[in-house]
Amino acid sequence: MPPGKNWTMEDFRLDPSRPLYEQFTEQIRTMIAKGELEPGTRLPSVRETASSLRVNPTTVMKTYQELERQALLVTYRGQGTFVTREEAAIDRSRKELARTAVNQLKETAKSLGLTPEQLWALALEE
Amino acid sequence: MPPGKNWTMEDFRLDPSRPLYEQFTEQIRTMIAKGELEPGTRLPSVRETASSLRVNPTTVMKTYQELERQALLVTYRGQGTFVTREEAAIDRSRKELARTAVNQLKETAKSLGLTPEQLWALALEE
Amino acid sequence: MPPGKNWTMEDFRLDPSRPLYEQFTEQIRTMIAKGELEPGTRLPSVRETASSLRVNPTTVMKTYQELERQALLVTYRGQGTFVTREEAAIDRSRKELARTAVNQLKETAKSLGLTPEQLWALALEE
Amino acid sequence: MPPGKNWTMEDFRLDPSRPLYEQFTEQIRTMIAKGELEPGTRLPSVRETASSLRVNPTTVMKTYQELERQALLVTYRGQGTFVTREEAAIDRSRKELARTAVNQLKETAKSLGLTPEQLWALALEE
DNA sequence: GTGGTCTAGACCACC
DNA sequence: GTGGTCTAGACCACA
């Protein structure tokens, strides 16, 4: 998303059966982790976002608040919400995403009595 | 679980913030996939399970019915619910579990612009 | 089934999710309608049938009683249960089976706003 | 049912001897297949439906969830339940209804040793 | 407001 | 005894 532009519905892949704010949170988080949203970028306002995504403003608020809690966003009163300039926070987020994914795979492997390698092989079978 | 025995609370690890029936479903599913519950084994009845796990009968039913839809359980009218003897269904389930785990990892890697190997390395850092 | 022989499990296609007695009734009924079980044939006794099919005797009883109600079987006390010699009853049964099948198709067609011919064509598409 | 209106008891033909949720499922399914309920239409809420049909909310939920599993309905959290906009799913459903009806007739014909045409003729006799 | 989960308990058909 | 359906009503998260 170029600076100054607004989100569009195509920026997100939404599954109606899961909480919207959760999906927005995850997807913005990975945009930041990947670098698509650069440090210091100003995000569209809650109201703008809500209307462009045709979503309830409280849903957007919840999203931004959650990402603030994770120290990935910072809000300056009266100016808006920005991607943090603390690269450490972003790094931490990247690692956490990676660890979660890897741990889930390890867990699944363990619960089936397999090593991660065996699980990987099983997934590729046939 | 040896045949003829009932579940106990220790058989399941429960997270109060997620639907119970979903957790039961997942955990029984992995027991079957792992072979802990052998084909043909009779599961404790809905009522027995409900009382031993201190849970409502309908919650147990929802669990059993969901597993039946996945073809992992078979119900014989008036007799009870059994682990399927169709080993193919069990195999399919094992592979599906493996694939889901692997795909999620691949997805996460891709969304961060990494290869699965790079993601794995990142998770192990520090 | 040759006279004097007993049923085996292969004589019936059973779906565990539907009442057994209902399935036995239907299938014996069509055997009679088709002529596989000829008028006057003696059916295996309730006890024999129950044990050879590994089924509860009451299930078999219910089956035979239902078929007696439909006048397809007659029981002579102390001698056993036989396929009726009243060909009229068998004919009626054949026609009823045919009518039920045809009416169901007509119903479905009507509920979709189609003629039976259109429904048939739709089923064959692609 | 025009949009914004609620169901009434006249919208459904109910047979007290069969599960209600099953009958609701079938009948809503054919309304969708027939086009009476257009893609995107919002269904009356679970509670509204429950009270207008004098039925328990969970019975309605079961109905809606079953239709969701068949991909004929979509639920948006906090907003309601809608007829899917995926016309392909609706087409598939129409064909499945047609095929089931036709196959049953073919099965019956076969089990009586007749062709479908002969069966049809038999049903019309007398 | 919406749907989703869960409880407590009745009643039924089937085996 | 078994599972299956239904009711009445509470509580929750989401929008």
Side-chain angles (χ1 to χ4, degrees), chain D residues 3-16:
Chain D
K5 292 219 54 177
N6 212 327
W7 309 106
T8 72
M9 310 253 279
E10 281 85 41
D11 292 319
F12 298 94
R13 288 184 298 115
L14 296 181
D15 166 1

Side-chain angles (χ1 to χ4, degrees), chain A residues 17-59:
Chain A
S17 76
R18 286 179 50 214
L20 291 182
Y21 85 91
E22 201 176 298
Q23 302 182 60
F24 289 134
T25 303
E26 287 172 6
Q27 296 185 29
I28 295 178
R29 189 186 180 187
T30 56
M31 289 182 205
I32 296 174
K34 192 174 181 176
E36 274 172 30
L37 280 173
E38 297 183 8
T41 308
R42 182 181 181 283
L43 296 189
S45 77
V46 169
R47 275 200 294 269
E48 281 171 337
T49 307
S51 82
S52 65
L53 296 184
R54 294 163 181 276
V55 144
N56 195 303
T58 62
T59 304

Side-chain angles (χ1 to χ4, degrees), chain A:
Chain A
M1 189 183 66
K5 291 218 56 176
N6 215 326
W7 308 107
T8 73
M9 312 253 278
E10 280 83 43
D11 292 318
F12 299 93
R13 288 185 297 115
L14 295 181
D15 167 2
S17 76
R18 286 179 50 214
L20 291 182
Y21 85 91
E22 201 176 298
Q23 302 182 60
F24 289 134
T25 303
E26 287 172 6
Q27 296 185 29
I28 295 178
R29 189 186 180 187
T30 56
M31 289 182 205
I32 296 174
K34 192 174 181 176
E36 274 172 30
L37 280 173
E38 297 183 8
T41 308
R42 182 181 181 283
L43 296 189
S45 77
V46 169
R47 275 200 294 269
E48 281 171 337
T49 307
S51 82
S52 65
L53 296 184
R54 294 163 181 276
V55 144
N56 195 303
T58 62
T59 304
V60 182
M61 285 226 332
K62 228 173 163 177
T63 302
Y64 282 12
Q65 281 173 354
E66 174 59 20
L67 287 165
E68 271 187 75
R69 223 189 39 73
Q70 297 179 17
L72 292 174
L73 297 184
V74 282
T75 295
Y76 296 106
R77 300 189 47 161
Q79 305 199 40
T81 300
F82 301 80
V83 177
T84 186
R85 286 208 148 88
E86 303 269 359
E87 308 260 3
I90 296 179
D91 257 32
R92 219 178 309 127
S93 176
R94 280 170 63 84
K95 276 184 194 156
E96 198 188 318
L97 283 171
R99 281 199 192 109
T100 304
V102 167
N103 282 339
Q104 278 177 351
L105 190 139
K106 283 184 179 169
E107 277 294 323
T108 304
K110 192 177 150 199
S111 75
L112 291 178
L114 302 176
T115 64
E117 290 75 19
Q118 290 171 322
L119 184 84
W120 196 277
L122 181 62
L124 299 182
E125 264 183 35
E126 170 198 13

Side-chain angles (χ1 to χ4, degrees), chain C residues 6 23 29 37 55 70 73 84 106 119:
Chain C
N6 215 325
Q23 302 182 61
R29 189 187 180 188
L37 279 174
V55 142
Q70 298 178 17
L73 297 183
T84 185
K106 283 183 180 171
L119 184 86

Side-chain angles (χ1 to χ4, degrees), chain C residues 2-3 31 40 45 110:
Chain C
M31 289 182 205
S45 77
K110 192 176 149 201

